[in-house]
Amino acid sequence: MAKIIASAMCSHVPAIGAAIDLGKTGEPYWTRVFSGFEKTKQIIADLKPDVAIVVFNDHATAFSMDFVPTFALGCADEFAPADEGWGPRPVPVVKGHSELAAHIAQSVIQDEFDLTVVNKMEVDHGCTVPLNLMFGSPSEWPCKVIPLMVNVVLFPPPSGNRCFNLGKAIRKAVESYPEDLRVLIMGTGGMSHQISGPRAGLINSEFDKKYLDSLAGDASHARSIKHVEFMREAGAEGIEMVMWLVARGAMDEKVTEKYRFYTVPASNTAVGHIILENAAA
Ligand code: DHB
Ligand code: FE
């Protein structure tokens, strides 16, 4: 039987990817950010995942504003890094697990979560930057990846509670897959940030830390936050944090916090990160 072995949540700031690609990780601004992910790489390597489900958002890269699914599951065998305007990032092609992905689609759609099945998709910084933060910069990613795209770009995005419940359905799907697979579920994006308009640069560390505390607890506070509150307290792009709730929903009610990191800023964003395991594990 496949099982969810842990969840890992982290920001996906594109400038983090640029710092890696341009060899700037040793600069003081960036050592502050990257030092927080040194321990992460060891923890994730020790967990030995076979598959990572990466809950991420596309930034109008693979999906133009012509079609914006709320939830879209990557069922392909591979996902190439997208060209976001400076050429594709020089990172490995993301290899999918089409059998497990098809099984998850079958299970969660029967469970009344109407995912869009995606058989062709290029992945932007929303997916590739978190992979770097978890795995470093290897020549091939060390496990298969199932990208799950969530719309947080075009109003109306799904509620955090809906995301949490989708995570529960994904867990049920994973646990009914017959092969023994170790599955890591990653929630990406956030934390507080606003990248345009008069409030550009807004960061709310108090909000972010309370959110991290909630995820390390039973997540009821995080699940209750409405869009307007995310917008007001955490900036227009702070809504990306709902994706962390998909990963949290795939865990038990009681979790153990394996690791946490928080720093401000990276580009316009508060960088937050947490790794959770089921307390019973
Ligand atoms: C920034 C953060 C994001 O999450 C994003 O998608 C784009 C830019 C930023 O802080 O620059
Ligand atoms: Fe983003």
Side-chain angles (χ1 to χ4, degrees), residues 7 9 159-165 167-168 209-226 230 241-257 260 274 276:
S7 61
M9 295 74 159
S159 70
N161 194 51
R162 177 81 174 150
C163 289
F164 182 91
N165 286 328
K168 277 191 167 204
K209 286 176 182 169
K210 197 167 166 198
Y211 201 82
L212 289 166
D213 288 344
S214 177
L215 292 176
D218 68 3
S220 55
H221 159 69
R223 289 168 69 179
S224 74
I225 301 172
K226 303 287 181 226
F230 274 113
M241 275 184 264
V242 293
M243 295 184 287
W244 296 26
L245 280 165
V246 181
R248 181 63 184 86
M251 308 295 291
D252 285 351
E253 188 181 331
K254 283 205 168 61
V255 289
T256 309
E257 181 177 326
R260 183 193 293 210
I274 193 163
L276 304 170

Side-chain angles (χ1 to χ4, degrees), residues 30-42:
W30 289 112
T31 51
R32 173 179 49 81
V33 175
F34 286 104
S35 65
F37 292 90
E38 281 309 311
K39 193 162 173 205
T40 303
K41 285 182 264 176
Q42 193 55 54

Side-chain angles (χ1 to χ4, degrees), residues 23-259:
K24 295 189 173 182
T25 57
E27 294 179 2
Y29 182 91
W30 289 112
T31 51
R32 173 179 49 81
V33 175
F34 286 104
S35 65
F37 292 90
E38 281 309 311
K39 193 162 173 205
T40 303
K41 285 182 264 176
Q42 193 55 54
I43 293 170
I44 300 293
D46 290 346
L47 283 168
K48 296 189 174 55
D50 299 303
V51 183
I53 298 173
V54 180
V55 185
F56 82 109
N57 74 287
D58 177 74
H59 298 76
T61 308
F63 300 95
S64 74
M65 287 297 150
D66 291 349
F67 304 98
V68 183
T70 300
F71 298 114
L73 190 70
C75 295
D77 289 324
E78 52 180 54
F79 308 90
D83 182 348
E84 297 179 63
W86 298 269
R89 292 194 59 212
V91 293
V93 168
V94 172
K95 304 279 189 195
H97 195 306
S98 54
E99 267 184 46
L100 177 58
H103 174 83
I104 292 172
Q106 156 78 14
S107 178
V108 304
I109 290 170
Q110 294 303 309
D111 238 347
E112 303 175 358
F113 282 91
D114 306 320
L115 303 187
T116 300
V117 170
V118 181
N119 292 320
K120 191 164 188 264
M121 174 168 66
E122 291 182 348
V123 285
D124 72 10
H125 68 272
C127 181
T128 60
V129 167
L131 290 176
N132 283 127
L133 293 175
M134 296 303 114
F135 301 118
S137 299
S139 55
E140 296 291 333
W141 298 121
C143 67
K144 301 225 165 135
V145 171
I146 298 178
L148 170 61
M149 197 289 289
V150 178
N151 167 39
V152 290
V153 166
L154 183 73
F155 195 84
S159 70
N161 194 51
R162 177 81 174 150
C163 289
F164 182 91
N165 286 328
L166 174 60
K168 277 191 167 204
I170 289 172
R171 177 185 184 163
K172 188 170 148 197
V174 166
E175 290 181 348
S176 64
Y177 190 72
E179 194 184 335
D180 285 334
L181 291 175
R182 298 172 62 76
V183 179
L184 172 72
I185 185 159
M186 289 165 54
T188 72
M191 297 191 88
S192 57
H193 63 303
Q194 170 141 348
I195 55 180
S196 62
R199 296 205 309 162
L202 178 145
I203 281 175
N204 184 344
S205 298
E206 209 178 305
F207 179 96
D208 292 338
K209 286 176 182 169
K210 197 167 166 198
Y211 201 82
L212 289 166
D213 288 344
S214 177
L215 292 176
D218 68 3
S220 55
H221 159 69
R223 289 168 69 179
S224 74
I225 301 172
K226 303 287 181 226
H227 292 143
V228 66
E229 191 181 346
F230 274 113
M231 180 86 101
R232 189 174 58 231
E233 300 296 327
E237 279 74 33
I239 189 67
E240 289 184 344
M241 275 184 264
V242 293
M243 295 184 287
W244 296 26
L245 280 165
V246 181
R248 181 63 184 86
M251 308 295 291
D252 285 351
E253 188 181 331
K254 283 205 168 61
V255 289
T256 309
E257 181 177 326
K258 272 275 291 199
Y259 182 58

